Amino acid sequence: MIHPMIALPSQLRDALADGAPLVALESTIISHGMPYPQNVETALSVEATVRAAGAIPATIAVIQGRPTVGLSVDEIEHLGKRGHSVTKVSRRDLPRCLSAGLDGATTVASTMILAARAGVSVFATGGIGGVHRGAETSFDVSADLEELAQTNVAVVCAGAKAILDLPKTLEYLETKGVPVLGYQTDELPGFYSRSTGLPVDCRLDSPQAIADLMRAKWDFDLDGGLLITNPVPQAHAMPAERIDQAIAQALQEMTQQGVGGKQATPFLLARVAELTGGDSLATNIKLVENNARLAAQIAVAFSQGRSYPAP
Ligand code: PSU
Ligand code: MN
């Protein structure tokens, strides 16, 4: 069940053997998604949130070429301090990172891969990557979407990042057969804001109902992930016009400066944080914590075994 190349601390190995609820957490959000020291503070508070909700956190990265599930505080601090100088590792970057013994911060896509190889079924992040605006000319579609199509992990997020083309992202997920669930909402959340006016395919109101749907999917050998979208709490949401304006300016600057490829998402997140005077960063931190709490509740329900009626 656990891939032999995965490194994990013995407490996590024992917890997995006991069927305890684990929640995977990514590391690109630490190195590339937020500035130091807020990135490290957030990574640690997110782990504490998972524990408080009764599950066990496992932050994931590649450490000196070892695919590692369950980073130490020192390893989290190391990735946070190195920031953009750590390699951002998605699916295509994993082989090089492993063969050269490098450190790598894992994106949603590669975190899903490592989680699945360790037998962790639930993963909390901020927002997934998706289809970028202008993808019809740039072809920029995040590898996160292909991973959701094929790897059996449920990803809890606050929607796709608002810097993206959300209708196209939803179309892509539909084509790939990825269920997009709304937790206590009928609408796709807008990451920094609570709603987008776009429908999710299914609203579910309890962690148990989500755990049941996950189990039914995988019991029937429908391989691939699920997207569980969880709106940012009202008290921390940003007004849509304010954030949209900052995103529009950041996108324009990105085009002018010729930024693209794997730098696109980190550039946009950092620029939007500057343009909003740090408000988008504060919202980002709150929504990740909120997702960690829901992911822990889903992991607890999922660990209790099948509760939907036997077919
Ligand atoms: N969500 C955040 N901040 C982030 C990311 C997600 O709140 O920094 C990261 C994730 O690791 C995601 C990546 O997988 O951005 C997407 O990058 P790209 O668009 O290059 O696939
Ligand atoms: Mn991309």
Side-chain angles (χ1 to χ4, degrees):
M1 170 108 150
I2 300 176
H3 193 285
M5 288 166 78
I6 293 280
L8 82 174
S10 58
Q11 318 91 277
L12 287 190
R13 193 172 287 273
D14 295 346
L16 280 163
D18 292 345
L22 264 75
V23 173
L25 300 163
E26 61 149 315
S27 46
T28 291
I29 192 171
I30 304 175
S31 60
H32 290 69
M34 292 181 189
Y36 182 81
Q38 287 96 331
N39 55 2
V40 172
E41 286 161 17
T42 304
L44 299 178
S45 88
V46 162
E47 288 204 342
T49 303
V50 170
R51 283 194 193 93
I56 301 167
T59 302
I60 290 179
V62 180
I63 303 292
Q64 293 178 359
R66 279 173 298 117
T68 304
V69 173
L71 299 188
S72 65
V73 174
D74 284 351
E75 288 165 336
I76 289 174
E77 178 82 23
H78 170 72
L79 293 180
K81 274 201 173 132
R82 281 190 54 200
H84 287 226
S85 71
V86 181
T87 308
K88 173 181 165 186
V89 174
S90 195
R91 172 178 270 269
R92 62 119 189 238
D93 312 290
L94 273 174
R96 166 72 181 154
C97 209
L98 268 52
S99 67
L102 304 176
D103 288 339
T106 49
T107 63
V108 168
S110 54
T111 302
M112 288 178 75
I113 295 171
L114 270 62
R117 291 195 184 13
V120 179
S121 304
V122 184
F123 164 22
T125 183
I128 59 159
V131 181
H132 280 258
R133 300 188 198 177
E136 57 277 22
T137 49
S138 70
F139 270 50
D140 192 347
V141 177
S142 175
D144 293 353
L145 298 186
E146 282 300 316
E147 211 55 53
L148 280 160
Q150 60 177 313
T151 299
N152 295 9
V153 173
V155 179
V156 182
C157 66
K161 283 187 286 286
I163 56 174
L164 300 166
D165 185 324
L166 300 178
K168 286 195 184 71
T169 301
L170 285 181
E171 290 293 345
Y172 201 99
L173 290 165
E174 181 185 350
T175 302
K176 295 291 178 174
V178 179
V180 177
L181 312 180
Y183 178 63
Q184 299 180 347
T185 179
D186 298 300
E187 264 183 64
L188 182 73
F191 193 67
Y192 299 115
S193 58
R194 285 176 61 83
S195 63
T196 55
L198 298 165
V200 289
D201 25 290
C202 172
R203 170 189 178 137
L204 292 173
D205 291 333
S206 70
Q208 184 66 56
I210 294 169
D212 287 348
L213 192 149
M214 287 162 59
R215 194 168 290 283
K217 183 176 198 280
W218 296 328
D219 278 355
F220 201 52
D221 299 327
L222 292 166
D223 279 339
L226 305 92
L227 200 62
I228 297 150
T229 66
N230 185 28
V232 60
Q234 187 71 61
H236 305 292
M238 292 185 71
E241 319 91 78
R242 178 140 181 265
I243 192 71
D244 289 350
Q245 212 182 342
I247 290 170
Q249 185 175 335
L251 283 164
Q252 200 185 359
E253 291 177 10
M254 185 174 92
T255 311
Q256 279 162 359
Q257 295 174 32
V259 175
K262 66 200 281 188
Q263 276 92 40
T265 296
F267 175 90
L268 290 170
L269 289 173
R271 196 63 190 116
V272 167
E274 279 169 15
L275 291 169
T276 59
D279 288 356
S280 70
L281 177 61
T283 298
N284 201 344
I285 292 169
K286 292 296 179 187
L287 65 86
V288 182
E289 288 169 357
N290 189 50
N291 295 342
R293 190 172 312 107
L294 176 60
Q297 292 165 350
I298 294 168
V300 168
F302 189 74
S303 72
Q304 287 161 358
R306 189 161 66 122
S307 79
Y308 74 93

